Structure formats: structure tokens, C-alpha cells
Amino acid sequence: MASAPQNMAGEALRVADLPGRGRALLAAREILDGEVILSEPPILLYPSSLASLPSYCSACFRSLPPPPHAPCPSCRAAAFCSSACASASHPRLVCAAFSSGLAAAPEAHQEPLLFLLSAYSLQESSLRALLSLSSAPQGPSPSQQQDAASLHAMVASLAPPHILPPGFSPDLTAALLSKDRTNSFSIMEPYRPDVPLELRKTRAYAVYHRASLLNHDCLPNACHFDYVDRPGPGNADIVVRALHGISEGKEVCISYFAANWRYADRQRRLLEDYGFQCECERCQIESKWKFDDDDDDDDDDNDGGDGDDTMEEEHDKEDVGDGVDEGMEQEEGSDDGDDDFPHAFFFVRYLCDREDCYGMLAPLPPLPNGDLSHVFECNACGQFKKEEDVDEPDAGDSSMGN
Ligand SMILES: C[S@@+](CC[C@H](N)C(=O)[O-])C[C@H]1O[C@@H](n2cnc3c(N)ncnc32)[C@H](O)[C@@H]1O
């Protein structure tokens, strides 16, 4: 079997502390266009809502075929896509909570409860890994702060005391909630062209050991894929690919939301939910732009919807991962040409032009001999496009294999 060429050998990433940015992932060597630079299973994977349970495997979140499915013999609420997933089962506190009334929890509390019950079901090493991730900027948001104590009480009432971990406490619950907000990636329901972006739902959330260390850039050099409906094991692994070549020592960044959001919306989201003011190259340029409308007004004029997965739809949680969200714009910048819009090329090449998609197009991985691929894949709708067609709207070929 041929070995990897020199420039694809060895770890692609290393962790570094960067002033003003916390931990970051840097290219440990030259990275090629489309290269898979990170692929790992989640530390934590949990359903977005109780309503999503009948549609997805409760262990790996693959779409379930039409019923009947073999339900979890214990709670009868969860179902699995295979005998392997059935024996892997689902988080024991989630399972136990069904017998104590989880299904009756108010809708607004379901997602944080599912997160907490899943997190408190983790093995100690995974719980420690989750707690080592960065916290929400000002701790939990005001509403989460208010809710943290009552969520803790709900977990205590839903989970039998003998299966709660030794550290179970209101402080730990608050700490866990603050990890969820900044480190979770949304895993979206399957893309369907007839479902508008704003109606696409999140099937599950995932937190990763390394991918949750990826910082944000409004002109990212990488994006992440999930292949959750792919057959076989490892379908919940995140796959991070380089959009283009990255030189050794450069930081690898993704965008925490759709790349075509406008300046004011990006800044607001990053400040409120992630606690930083973005000073990337694109923001520095766009901060000088004049918009006809008022940038500081509400998002009434931004009805692009969101698919965030990071990037999801209209839930309050923020994701580090992908997706699209409210506040998108399609025609950013002025008409004065490329001098005022130097990143136009980025949008033409890397932003999916399929209606209501707004995913990122990344080249397929290089061949084992290092030859670059000339086919791009969208991380949201999954379409494939030949390089020569990336600036041709709707020239995609969704029949090409992965
Ligand atoms: C998912 S974590 C990324 C890893 C994080 N830097 C750490 O130390 O664990 C998100 C947090 O990283 C920081 N961050 C991400 N992108 C940044 C950027 N472009 N500038 C400054 N801080 C950033 C913010 O504190 C944000 O809340």
C-alpha cells in the first residue's frame, strides 16, 4: 500500500495558547486543500428534544427506517438502528428519567435536561474532558442562570440517586451548562430541498475533545462535516477538512455560523454568545463599510433563517459548529468592485449557492499520492460540484459519490 506523501504525514494539528483567543488548533505541518485534518468521535452526543427521539437512533443518531423498531427494553422511549447500537444503549440517566416523568418536562427545559442527564451519565474521564473545555463568556446566560437551580432540581428528581455520579451538585450543573453553550455542534436533520432553511431542525448536539477547541474566523480555512446517516460505525464522528492549503503554524479556524452573515450580526452573536469581539481580516474591512439600513436594528430584515449547527434553527443554544442562522444576508458589501469586497472570491468558491443552503464547499480529500481533488462537497446539503462549476449556480452533481 502506498504511504502518505511527505506533506500529508504526521499529525496535522497542535494545540497552542494564543493571546486573546485561548486555546487554538494550529497547523503542525503544511496542510493540503481538502485534507481531513481532524476526525474524532464525540465526547458527548445527546438528542435535541424528546420529539426527535422516534426519528433517530438513540445511540448514534442515524435516521431510523420506518417503524417498527426494537425499543429500549428499559424505557421503551428510545429506539436503535442496529443491534450494536442497542447494546451500546443510550445514556443511563436519560433512560432512567423516562420512568420518572421526563416525557412531561416542559418543552423549554427538554434540551438542557437531555444535555445534563447525558453529561451526568458520562464516564469520569469524559466528564473531565467536557469540563476542561472553555466556558460561556459570562457564565450561563441570564435565563440559564435563572434556570440552573431549577434544572438541577429536575435532574435530582428524575434520576434515581444511586446512579447519580459522586460530584453531582448545583455548582457542577451550572458548570456543565456553561460548557454546553460554547462547545456544542448541531447535527442537523437530513437536508431536504423542500424544507426551508429556517425550518431545518437539529437532531442532536455533539461536543468533541479537539474540535471544540477550534476558534472562529469569519473567513475560515476549514469546515466540518458530519456523515451521521452513513452506514457503519463511526457515523457520529466529526470530520474537519481544510478549505484550501494551510501553511505550518497558521491557526485552523471554522465559522461558528453561516459565512454570509453580515458584519453587525456576526459581531453581535460572537460577543453575546462567545464573549469576544471578532477582529479577523474580514471584520476589519467590513467595520468600515456603510450600510444603507441601520446595522444596529433588530434582525427583522434578516430572514434567512438558520440551520445552525452551530451551526440550527430557532433554539437559543449556540453552536460552535456549522450551520446557518438568522441574520444572513446574500448581498453584502458595495457595488464598488473587488477593492471593497476582497473576499468575494471566498464566497464564490466556498459558499454553497443552492437555494436555502448556505453550507460551505470544501474540496474532497487529496489522493493518497497528494494529488488535489477538483471536486467540492457541501457540508450542509451534501451536493458535489466540480471545481470549474463552483462559480456556476446550480451546476452541482448530487449523484457523485463521497
Ligand atoms: C469553542 S471554544 C474554542 C476554544 C477556546 N479558545 C478554548 O480555549 O478552549 C469558543 C471560545 O473560544 C474563544 N474564541 C473563539 N474564536 C475566537 C476569536 N476569533 N477571537 C477571540 N476568541 C475566540 C472564545 O472565548 C469562545 O467563547
Side-chain angles (χ1 to χ4, degrees):
M1 197 164 123
S3 56
Q6 197 61 42
N7 51 7
M8 288 201 311
E11 270 285 314
L13 297 173
R14 65 183 169 88
V15 181
D17 266 307
L18 299 185
R21 302 170 74 88
R23 283 166 299 177
L25 296 179
L26 307 190
R29 55 166 173 78
E30 184 199 353
I31 291 172
L32 302 181
D33 311 40
E35 208 185 313
V36 173
I37 44 187
L38 178 60
S39 176
E40 62 174 341
I43 306 170
L44 178 69
L45 182 62
Y46 67 97
S48 58
S49 69
L50 294 171
S52 73
L53 284 182
S55 307
Y56 304 105
C57 172
S58 278
C60 76
F61 291 93
R62 183 178 282 127
S63 300
L64 287 171
H69 316 115
C72 167
S74 186
C75 67
R76 320 270 326 155
F80 303 101
C81 67
S82 65
S83 51
C85 278
S87 42
S89 193
H90 60 137
R92 59 202 175 112
L93 267 71
V94 174
C95 186
F98 277 108
S99 318
S100 321
L102 175 58
E107 208 178 320
H109 288 139
Q110 286 178 15
E111 183 269 312
L113 273 178
L114 288 164
F115 164 74
L116 287 169
L117 291 163
S118 303
Y120 275 127
S121 303
L122 290 172
Q123 303 275 354
E124 201 192 324
S125 58
S126 298
L127 189 61
R128 268 206 308 270
L130 177 60
L131 288 167
S132 75
L133 297 174
S134 71
S135 299
Q138 300 88 21
S141 69
S143 65
Q144 279 177 321
Q145 228 160 22
Q146 217 176 9
D147 283 351
S150 60
L151 285 167
H152 182 77
M154 282 186 219
V155 173
S157 71
L158 289 168
H162 67 279
I163 61 168
L164 283 164
F168 179 71
S169 68
D171 284 351
L172 185 52
T173 297
L176 287 169
L177 288 168
S178 79
K179 306 297 172 185
D180 186 27
R181 291 179 52 221
T182 43
N183 297 291
S184 293
F185 286 75
S186 296
I187 298 181
M188 305 303 293
E189 67 178 4
Y191 174 84
R192 284 187 16 217
D194 57 319
V195 177
L197 185 65
E198 64 275 18
L199 297 181
R200 273 190 86 200
K201 295 199 168 73
T202 300
R203 68 174 89 180
Y205 295 104
V207 181
Y208 302 88
H209 184 61
R210 286 201 115 194
S212 292
L213 297 185
L214 284 163
N215 284 333
H216 166 90
D217 196 290
C218 300
L219 290 178
N221 51 17
C223 70
H224 80 275
F225 289 79
D226 61 59
Y227 299 99
V228 73
D229 284 323
R230 188 161 65 180
N235 61 312
D237 291 6
I238 191 169
V239 177
V240 179
R241 291 222 309 260
L243 293 178
H244 49 73
I246 305 172
S247 47
E248 182 179 343
K250 266 211 115 196
E251 184 177 1
V252 175
C253 289
I254 58 172
S255 175
Y256 288 175
F257 35 74
N260 63 339
W261 282 23
R262 67 182 187 172
Y263 174 75
D265 295 325
R266 300 196 309 270
Q267 287 289 340
R268 185 163 39 229
R269 174 77 170 262
L270 292 169
L271 193 59
E272 286 174 4
D273 298 329
Y274 297 95
F276 69 93
Q277 186 169 352
C278 189
E279 287 168 2
C280 74
E281 199 185 304
R282 178 178 163 197
C283 283
Q284 286 180 33
I285 292 167
E286 291 182 19
S287 65
K288 301 189 183 90
W289 283 359
K290 298 240 180 321
F291 289 93
D292 290 342
D293 55 339
D294 178 7
D295 281 348
D296 294 327
D297 63 9
D298 291 326
D299 285 341
D300 301 351
D301 53 346
N302 296 311
D303 54 0
D306 63 356
D308 201 287
D309 54 36
T310 19
M311 293 156 191
E312 78 236 273
E313 280 30 46
E314 353 24 85
H315 53 72
D316 293 335
K317 177 142 66 69
E318 314 310 337
D319 320 78
V320 266
D322 88 285
V324 250
D325 214 327
E326 76 285 347
M328 299 196 291
E329 67 169 350
Q330 303 222 42
E331 289 164 25
E332 201 169 48
S334 68
D335 299 331
D336 300 342
D338 285 359
D339 286 353
D340 289 332
F341 193 22
H343 32 265
F345 173 77
F346 179 93
F347 289 95
V348 170
R349 191 168 174 87
Y350 300 116
L351 198 71
C352 184
D353 58 8
R354 203 169 189 174
E355 201 183 345
D356 263 346
C357 178
Y358 307 107
M360 307 253 16
L361 290 166
L364 290 179
L367 295 173
N369 66 5
D371 284 355
L372 301 181
S373 171
H374 298 288
V375 176
F376 285 64
E377 178 187 11
C378 174
N379 70 349
C381 72
Q383 81 160 319
F384 292 90
K385 275 190 134 176
K386 294 190 188 118
E387 187 166 23
E388 60 265 33
D389 295 333
V390 290
D391 53 352
E392 298 286 332
D394 294 330
D397 179 356
S398 53
S399 67
M400 294 173 74
N402 187 5

